Amino acid sequence: MRKQAVATQMIDDARVRVTRFDFAPGAETGWHRHAMDYVITAITECQMRLELPDGSVSDVMVPAGTAYRRDEGVEHNVINAADTPMSFVEVELK
């Protein structure tokens, strides 16, 4: 069983929910489905391993200081595949 990432809610108002995620090496979010469109901004270099519903696994490198966005409906488990901590901020658009 993996450690859980630490989720710290920073803002939750009528327009957005902002959450910081901090992962120890090997930690995971657990399976989840995004109910809203969202933007991720990497605080550290993020070597993400994404487990997908079809059983596939995808490794993605998100450089520190960069961002990407996804539409609602994404379902996955995010794992820190690095041997160093990783952190990002997620902004969900309500």
Side-chain angles (χ1 to χ4, degrees):
M1 185 170 198
R2 297 182 187 109
K3 294 180 186 178
Q4 290 296 298
V6 176
T8 305
Q9 194 165 321
M10 302 169 71
I11 299 171
D12 191 4
D13 63 22
R15 300 185 67 190
V16 298
R17 181 182 304 138
V18 180
T19 308
R20 177 179 171 141
F21 288 88
D22 293 292
F23 294 72
E28 67 180 354
T29 57
W31 281 96
H32 61 281
R33 182 184 181 278
H34 289 269
M36 295 174 261
D37 294 350
Y38 65 100
V39 176
I40 297 291
T41 302
I43 296 171
T44 66
E45 181 176 280
C46 294
Q47 294 181 13
M48 297 179 182
R49 178 159 293 139
L50 306 174
E51 294 179 337
L52 305 173
D54 66 2
S56 66
V57 175
S58 176
D59 286 334
V60 178
M61 166 60 74
V62 182
T66 64
Y68 66 86
R69 75 161 210 89
R70 297 286 182 266
D71 293 332
E72 71 170 298
V74 172
E75 187 175 352
H76 56 199
N77 181 27
V78 179
I79 303 159
N80 178 3
D83 59 0
T84 56
M86 82 175 187
S87 299
F88 60 79
V89 173
E90 175 184 88
V91 179
E92 295 173 285
L93 307 173
K94 294 183 177 180

